[in-house]
Structures are given as structure tokens and as C-alpha cells.
Amino acid sequence: MPQEGTAQLVQNLPRFHDPNLIVGTEGFSDAGVYRLREDLFIVQSLDFFPPLVDDPFVFGQIAAANSLSDVYAMGAQPTTALNIVGFPDNELELSILAEILRGGCDRVAAAGAVIVGGHTVRDTEIKYGLSVTGVVQPQYLLTNQRAQPGDALVLTKALGTGFVTTANKAGRCPDESFAVACASMIQLNVSGRDAAREFQANASTDVTGFGLVGHTGEMAEASGVTAVLEVARLPILPGAETLVQPGNRTRANRSNREFAQDRLRIEGQPDELRMEFMFDPQTSGGLLISVPPQRADDLVAYARHAGAGAACIVGSIISRQAAQIIIRP
């Protein structure tokens, strides 16, 4: 669903008033947070989608990593997960589903969590994901609501998964580019979470279907600030720049651009091709972390050492302007 439609639906839902509800539907947060004790919060999220790769095991890995990412974005540790499955068992062999679930198990185990069950329904197409519960101590909780003017913005994964997977479906993607994109989507965001904790980041969110511009805009709106993104700094998946063609741009790419249009200002003359990656919908993308500038370089170095090799500074936070996001060369 387009970002604007989702936002309107969520904002119009009835609000729950519970003193232990720390983070609910307001502020476009990545997950909900509920206080169990003064020293322990639970974090809950859910995500699922149709396959974007043909290999069922790899699809299971990607979908699980994507679902786990919301919990990492909140600074939490995943603990349990439930499988969510739609599967046309009257058309496809159950061995395909077994491989999808095996891929999900692989990523959940790598996260140090456990799968405790799930639910499957017959559907006309395959869908898979997880409902994830995590835990976090209050001092480690991160949201997208506390970015501060002066902060640097760090992105922990390269952009371009939307272009790559769309091109691959049409047979237009080199095998090497596709393999690199899959490796990125499978990678857990634990390194970004640990870096954000270690260097006391102010805010965090994960970059997924609304693209870098969409999720940056959510952080800016929730925090009451303006975000500046620098096109030349963007990390891009190897080979993805050759795939920025109209035929490889999805409907989500267009809706991300349309939603952001009235909320951004473009300064100077940014590279048009590279700027397209800001609107590209990501699957299991990186964390976008807002951190005081004096700690940004150390956070990047830590994240890279921990496995997030594409981590880099992509912009900054300034006091609120007329535009939510400013794009500069």
C-alpha cells in the first residue's frame, strides 16, 4: 500500500491508553513497545510479503531477515518468532514451503531467537514472514522520534535491491549483481543495532518499502526536524546503477516519489541517476541511524568491523525547515 494511504489508515485508528504502552501506532515507529517491568520492555513487529527471488530457501532467509530488522531498529534483541504463511498447496509442492520455512529458521537461529509456531492459510500466491517479539532494557530503546539538529545520518546497507530484484525477474540482471543483492538482504541488522547502542545514537529506523526518502521523512516528521541527504554519499549495490531503467522501476518506486514530492526540496544539481536510489523500495534494507556528529565516524567504523561493510554517513539533521527533507549533491 502507498505510504500516504498507510499513514492515513493508521492515524485514524482508535488509540489505546495504557500507561505501559511505550510506543504505539503514532510516529510511524518500526515496532510496538510495551513495558513488562521498569527494567524490561518487549518489542513486537510483523511483516510478510510475496517472493522476490526464485530460490525458496533464499526467499525464506530474506523474508525473515526483513522481519527481524524492525526489532533491531528499536535497539532490541529478538527472542521469539511466529511464521506467517500464505501458500497455494493445491498448486505447488509442499517441499517448496519446507524450503521457505528452513530459510526462515536459518535467520531466526542466526539472530539468537527461536520459532515457537505460526499459522498457514491457503492463498493464491506464496507469502511469508514473521511476527517477531524482542526484549530491550529501557536505556537501549531506540525510536525514530529523537533525531536532533546537528546529528549525522548513517546508513548501514547499500541501496538498490528494488532495481536489482525487478531486473532479475525480467532476466535483465547479471548474476553477480543479483548474488550481491541477495547477500545484503539476507544480512541481519544486528551490527547496525550494536553500533547504534555503542555510540548512543539518538534515533534509528530501518529502510524498507518506502525507500530511503520515505523512511527518512518519517524520522524527520516524528522528530520535528529536517533531514539533509547527500546524493554523492549514497552507498549503492555493485552493478545496480546500470539497472536504473524505466522497466526496472516498480509501482512502489513511483508512489514513493509522489508521496515525497511535496515534502522535499532539491538544492543544486544532484546526479539524477543516483538520486533514483532514494526512492527505490528496499527489502531488508539497512538501518538509518541519527547520531551526534562527534561519534558518527566511530559508529561507521564499528558497524563496518561488525559486518556492515557498506555503512557510511549519508546526510545530517538540521532544525525544522519548510521541507521535511533536503536533497543536495
Side-chain angles (χ1 to χ4, degrees), residues 274-293:
R274 290 182 64 86
M275 192 164 66
E276 285 294 333
F277 286 89
M278 292 187 172
F279 306 101
D280 186 40
Q282 302 302 286
T283 299
S284 191
L287 297 188
L288 181 70
I289 301 167
S290 185
V291 62

Side-chain angles (χ1 to χ4, degrees), residues 47-53 58-70 128-129 155-166 169 178 180-189 206-212 215 237 250 252-253 256 277-287:
D47 205 344
F48 64 105
F49 49 77
L52 66 165
V53 300
V58 174
F59 167 56
Q61 288 181 303
I62 293 170
N66 184 78
S67 298
L68 291 159
S69 184
D70 286 334
Y128 175 64
L155 182 63
T156 64
K157 285 189 185 182
L159 301 168
T161 61
F163 291 127
V164 170
T165 54
T166 303
K169 285 182 179 179
F178 182 64
V180 172
C182 286
S184 177
M185 291 185 285
I186 289 166
Q187 183 182 34
L188 299 177
N189 273 322
D206 68 334
V207 178
T208 51
F210 296 149
L212 178 62
H215 292 285
L237 288 168
T250 65
N253 185 290
N256 288 346
F277 286 89
M278 292 187 172
F279 306 101
D280 186 40
Q282 302 302 286
T283 299
S284 191
L287 297 188

